[in-house]
Amino acid sequence: MSLEILGVLLHRNASEISRGGGPAFDVDMIQKMARAFDENDFDRVLILQNSFAPDPFAIANYAAAVTEKLAFMVAHRPGFVAPTMAARMFATLDNLSGGRAGVHVITGANDTELECDGDFHTKEERYHRSAEYVEIMRKVWSSGTPVDHNGTYYRFNNALSELKPVGGGAIPVYWGGSSPLALEKGAEVADVYAIGGLKPLDQMAGTVAQIRDAWARTGRPVRIQTSVRVIVGETEDASWKAAADVVEALRETALEQQRKIAGSDEAMSTGMRLDPKLATTKGGSGREELEAIAGGKDLLDKRLWTGITKASVSFSTPMLPPALVGTAEQVADAMMDYYAMGITGFLMRGFDLYGDIALHGRDLIPTLRRLAAEHDARVGLSETQPV
């Protein structure tokens, strides 16, 4: 199997527990983080997109210029740029970076946020549109002659890109979503399916089985990825102390935000809750699963700590998935349980965005690669063999 370690490249050094400071768009920090990811053996970074963030294409091109081997997963929302143009944009990034481009198709779960950019399609319509969009990009990448298209959402004649992805292949397409339609459409067009965050092993095994079933119906191979929040310490005691510090920092950050909204510096009691409008949109299987997890045990499986999820519910902040807590060896061992079920990509981050890059590169990533290689040797898999 092929282990892929990913990080998140933001336009400033920030996380859910940040208290502000520094420019809103920090070019120096983008360069420092990109180089740190490159130097600490991360394979790829996600560059996010939403209705208020800076342009991820521009950030990816800049990051490509200051790194050597780091690849990119550029979040991209179908519907705002024509797919023929997007195909040329990604092909250009791929050539400028020497074959390091990747696209993470973001269909979008929050209707209100998408309406900020003028998209009033339903979620179901967006998934159908996203699948058609990817099909068009693949046609443009692969065809040496002009192509026509007359579909549900797009129509064009004589589309052509003189620039192709490096090596004449296709740019990897990442895809996410938890609905049956998301699985169905992802299986038709995507290379990698991204699960939003860690769940208990039995639940994750069920999700993996659903993904595999969807892809089996199309006869296409799939790679599976998940997001992992980790809190790593030199010792187990140190890691749990760090976890407690994260909860306290989240509480303080939430209270500070509430004071700003209220226009008052008056201290608030720990039991007071934030304005629900600050929380993520309610509803949807993802949030419901997290709320159910938050109502259960503090520690699940080997290392899956629900304390951060419980805290996000208590403080009415955006929902945070459980985190793996422990030493590098302990966290890597817990991650291997997910790897063994066929999850080969881990988008990994802690709560100190920049500082954690070197920490993970020093201890956690080498341990993960060693354990993954040992697992593959035991079961007789090559590094590139699909699960």
Side-chain angles (χ1 to χ4, degrees):
M1 295 190 288
S2 182
L3 177 68
E4 185 173 42
I5 304 295
L6 306 94
V8 179
L9 177 61
L10 296 183
H11 52 278
R12 60 178 179 268
N13 188 26
S15 78
E16 295 87 351
I17 64 173
S18 296
R19 299 177 69 88
F25 186 79
D26 194 335
V27 178
D28 290 340
M29 181 53 66
I30 293 172
Q31 181 181 107
K32 288 172 65 176
M33 283 195 291
R35 287 178 170 167
F37 281 122
D38 204 29
E39 294 165 359
N40 283 279
D41 203 24
F42 282 77
D43 297 303
R44 190 180 295 270
V45 289
L46 169 65
I47 304 176
L48 300 170
Q49 182 181 32
N50 54 48
S51 295
F52 49 86
D55 174 29
F57 264 107
I59 294 174
N61 276 290
Y62 177 74
V66 300
T67 55
E68 296 181 359
K69 61 183 188 298
L70 185 68
F72 305 97
M73 183 169 67
V74 182
H76 183 69
R77 287 182 167 178
F80 304 107
V81 176
T84 50
M85 181 176 291
R88 297 194 298 272
M89 293 166 67
F90 276 103
T92 304
L93 172 62
D94 202 48
N95 279 263
L96 284 172
S97 65
R100 294 185 278 154
V103 52
H104 185 32
V105 176
I106 304 296
T107 297
N110 188 319
D111 293 349
T112 301
E113 194 244 331
L114 282 149
E115 289 170 4
C116 294
D117 282 329
D119 189 349
F120 291 87
H121 287 86
T122 66
K123 185 177 179 180
E124 288 73 20
E125 290 171 337
R126 294 196 299 269
Y127 271 116
H128 286 285
R129 181 182 63 185
S130 292
E132 184 177 338
Y133 196 95
V134 174
E135 288 175 349
I136 292 168
M137 289 199 297
R138 291 193 185 281
K139 286 181 183 178
V140 174
W141 288 333
S142 62
S143 179
T145 58
V147 296
D148 299 340
H149 180 85
N150 187 1
T152 303
Y153 295 94
Y154 298 100
R155 177 184 175 186
F156 55 83
N157 295 323
N158 299 314
L160 180 68
S161 175
E162 65 179 28
L163 192 62
K164 304 300 181 185
V166 170
I171 291 167
V173 176
Y174 295 73
W175 185 281
S178 58
S179 68
L181 183 59
L183 287 171
E184 175 191 337
K185 292 301 171 182
E188 292 175 3
V189 299
D191 301 302
V192 185
Y193 202 83
I195 302 171
L198 285 192
K199 297 180 283 188
L201 289 169
D202 58 345
Q203 293 183 34
M204 192 67 92
T207 300
V208 169
Q210 290 177 340
I211 295 170
R212 293 202 179 286
D213 286 347
W215 257 258
R217 290 192 289 270
T218 68
R220 303 178 64 251
V222 62
R223 288 184 289 136
I224 303 175
Q225 169 196 306
T226 191
S227 299
V228 185
R229 298 307 289 259
V230 298
I231 302 174
V232 177
E234 293 288 343
T235 66
E236 185 170 7
D237 286 345
S239 68
W240 286 113
K241 172 63 167 58
D245 290 344
V246 167
V247 169
E248 179 59 22
L250 182 66
R251 185 185 74 86
E252 289 298 323
T253 302
L255 293 177
E256 181 178 332
Q257 183 65 27
Q258 182 63 67
R259 292 186 195 105
K260 290 180 180 178
I261 292 173
S264 170
D265 291 329
E266 181 180 353
M268 299 170 62
S269 68
T270 303
M272 292 186 69
R273 298 172 62 85
L274 289 175
D275 186 332
K277 294 178 181 178
L278 295 178
T280 53
T281 302
K282 291 189 176 182
S285 60
R287 183 178 179 89
E288 289 168 0
E289 282 184 345
L290 288 177
E291 288 177 339
I293 289 171
K297 296 179 180 178
D298 289 341
L299 190 65
L300 303 172
D301 302 322
K302 291 176 180 176
R303 295 271 136 202
L304 193 61
W305 176 62
T306 65
I308 191 64
T309 309
K310 294 175 186 292
S312 63
V313 171
S314 177
F315 307 146
S316 289
T317 64
M319 290 290 288
L320 292 171
L324 293 176
V325 180
T327 66
E329 189 78 27
Q330 290 170 330
V331 169
D333 175 66
M335 290 172 68
M336 283 300 105
D337 290 336
Y338 296 93
Y339 184 80
M341 71 174 64
I343 298 173
T344 59
F346 295 97
L347 194 154
M348 200 165 61
R349 61 187 293 201
F351 291 89
D352 178 2
L353 188 63
Y354 177 62
D356 282 338
I357 299 172
L359 173 64
H360 297 162
R362 186 188 69 209
D363 296 320
L364 183 53
I365 292 176
T367 306
L368 279 170
R369 295 200 187 280
R370 172 177 58 82
L371 293 179
E374 291 173 358
H375 169 275
D376 293 351
R378 283 195 304 272
V379 299
L381 290 173
S382 69
E383 289 187 355
T384 56
Q385 182 176 340
V387 182

